[in-house]
mmCIF file of all heavy atoms in Angstrom:
data_model
loop_
_atom_site.group_PDB
_atom_site.id
_atom_site.type_symbol
_atom_site.label_atom_id
_atom_site.label_comp_id
_atom_site.label_asym_id
_atom_site.label_seq_id
_atom_site.Cartn_x
_atom_site.Cartn_y
_atom_site.Cartn_z
ATOM 1 N N ALA V 323 40.833 11.463 6.434
ATOM 2 C CA ALA V 323 41.498 11.850 5.186
ATOM 3 C C ALA V 323 40.504 12.506 4.234
ATOM 4 O O ALA V 323 40.851 13.365 3.437
ATOM 5 C CB ALA V 323 42.103 10.617 4.537
ATOM 6 N N SER V 324 39.241 12.084 4.334
ATOM 7 C CA SER V 324 38.251 12.583 3.371
ATOM 8 C C SER V 324 37.747 13.988 3.699
ATOM 9 O O SER V 324 37.076 14.610 2.892
ATOM 10 C CB SER V 324 37.066 11.626 3.310
ATOM 11 O OG SER V 324 36.618 11.341 4.611
ATOM 12 N N VAL V 325 38.046 14.522 4.916
ATOM 13 C CA VAL V 325 37.552 15.855 5.292
ATOM 14 C C VAL V 325 38.632 16.907 5.073
ATOM 15 O O VAL V 325 39.710 16.837 5.647
ATOM 16 C CB VAL V 325 37.089 15.877 6.777
ATOM 17 C CG1 VAL V 325 36.677 17.288 7.186
ATOM 18 C CG2 VAL V 325 35.947 14.909 6.993
ATOM 19 N N ARG V 326 38.309 17.886 4.218
ATOM 20 C CA ARG V 326 39.283 18.950 3.940
ATOM 21 C C ARG V 326 39.186 20.052 4.991
ATOM 22 O O ARG V 326 40.175 20.531 5.510
ATOM 23 C CB ARG V 326 38.994 19.537 2.551
ATOM 24 C CG ARG V 326 40.083 20.436 2.004
ATOM 25 C CD ARG V 326 39.569 21.261 0.825
ATOM 26 N NE ARG V 326 38.980 20.425 -0.202
ATOM 27 C CZ ARG V 326 39.644 19.915 -1.225
ATOM 28 N NH1 ARG V 326 40.934 20.146 -1.345
ATOM 29 N NH2 ARG V 326 39.037 19.176 -2.132
ATOM 30 N N GLU V 327 37.936 20.447 5.302
ATOM 31 C CA GLU V 327 37.757 21.562 6.242
ATOM 32 C C GLU V 327 36.339 21.543 6.798
ATOM 33 O O GLU V 327 35.404 21.145 6.117
ATOM 34 C CB GLU V 327 37.974 22.897 5.499
ATOM 35 C CG GLU V 327 38.063 24.084 6.428
ATOM 36 C CD GLU V 327 38.090 25.436 5.701
ATOM 37 O OE1 GLU V 327 37.750 25.513 4.506
ATOM 38 O OE2 GLU V 327 38.431 26.421 6.357
ATOM 39 N N VAL V 328 36.201 21.982 8.051
ATOM 40 C CA VAL V 328 34.882 22.210 8.639
ATOM 41 C C VAL V 328 34.789 23.703 8.915
ATOM 42 O O VAL V 328 35.692 24.279 9.514
ATOM 43 C CB VAL V 328 34.723 21.406 9.956
ATOM 44 C CG1 VAL V 328 33.397 21.739 10.632
ATOM 45 C CG2 VAL V 328 34.823 19.912 9.697
ATOM 46 N N ARG V 329 33.736 24.358 8.423
ATOM 47 C CA ARG V 329 33.652 25.808 8.629
ATOM 48 C C ARG V 329 32.195 26.218 8.776
ATOM 49 O O ARG V 329 31.280 25.446 8.451
ATOM 50 C CB ARG V 329 34.327 26.570 7.476
ATOM 51 C CG ARG V 329 33.757 26.237 6.148
ATOM 52 C CD ARG V 329 34.333 27.044 4.989
ATOM 53 N NE ARG V 329 33.721 26.552 3.773
ATOM 54 C CZ ARG V 329 34.247 25.664 2.955
ATOM 55 N NH1 ARG V 329 35.455 25.178 3.195
ATOM 56 N NH2 ARG V 329 33.590 25.237 1.896
ATOM 57 N N GLY V 330 31.987 27.448 9.244
ATOM 58 C CA GLY V 330 30.618 27.929 9.356
ATOM 59 C C GLY V 330 30.497 29.089 10.309
ATOM 60 O O GLY V 330 31.488 29.577 10.878
ATOM 61 N N LEU V 331 29.269 29.549 10.455
ATOM 62 C CA LEU V 331 28.941 30.633 11.379
ATOM 63 C C LEU V 331 27.521 30.381 11.852
ATOM 64 O O LEU V 331 26.617 30.228 11.021
ATOM 65 C CB LEU V 331 29.053 31.983 10.651
ATOM 66 C CG LEU V 331 28.921 33.245 11.516
ATOM 67 C CD1 LEU V 331 30.052 33.356 12.536
ATOM 68 C CD2 LEU V 331 28.882 34.499 10.639
ATOM 69 N N GLY V 332 27.328 30.337 13.187
ATOM 70 C CA GLY V 332 26.004 30.026 13.701
ATOM 71 C C GLY V 332 25.550 28.680 13.174
ATOM 72 O O GLY V 332 26.325 27.712 13.150
ATOM 73 N N LEU V 333 24.317 28.631 12.685
ATOM 74 C CA LEU V 333 23.809 27.353 12.176
ATOM 75 C C LEU V 333 23.881 27.255 10.652
ATOM 76 O O LEU V 333 22.997 26.693 10.008
ATOM 77 C CB LEU V 333 22.398 27.094 12.709
ATOM 78 C CG LEU V 333 22.383 26.697 14.188
ATOM 79 C CD1 LEU V 333 20.973 26.576 14.723
ATOM 80 C CD2 LEU V 333 23.156 25.402 14.447
ATOM 81 N N MET V 334 24.922 27.853 10.097
ATOM 82 C CA MET V 334 25.321 27.586 8.697
ATOM 83 C C MET V 334 26.644 26.861 8.803
ATOM 84 O O MET V 334 27.663 27.483 9.104
ATOM 85 C CB MET V 334 25.551 28.896 7.929
ATOM 86 C CG MET V 334 24.300 29.592 7.488
ATOM 87 S SD MET V 334 24.712 31.161 6.661
ATOM 88 C CE MET V 334 24.970 30.588 4.969
ATOM 89 N N VAL V 335 26.612 25.559 8.579
ATOM 90 C CA VAL V 335 27.809 24.769 8.844
ATOM 91 C C VAL V 335 28.120 23.891 7.635
ATOM 92 O O VAL V 335 27.213 23.302 7.032
ATOM 93 C CB VAL V 335 27.596 23.885 10.100
ATOM 94 C CG1 VAL V 335 28.802 22.991 10.340
ATOM 95 C CG2 VAL V 335 27.344 24.765 11.329
ATOM 96 N N ALA V 336 29.407 23.808 7.296
ATOM 97 C CA ALA V 336 29.802 23.004 6.141
ATOM 98 C C ALA V 336 30.934 22.059 6.489
ATOM 99 O O ALA V 336 31.816 22.398 7.273
ATOM 100 C CB ALA V 336 30.253 23.918 5.002
#
Side-chain angles (χ1 to χ4, degrees):
S324 50
V325 176
R326 192 195 306 269
E327 191 188 16
V328 175
R329 57 176 177 263
L331 188 64
L333 286 175
M334 282 177 87
V335 176

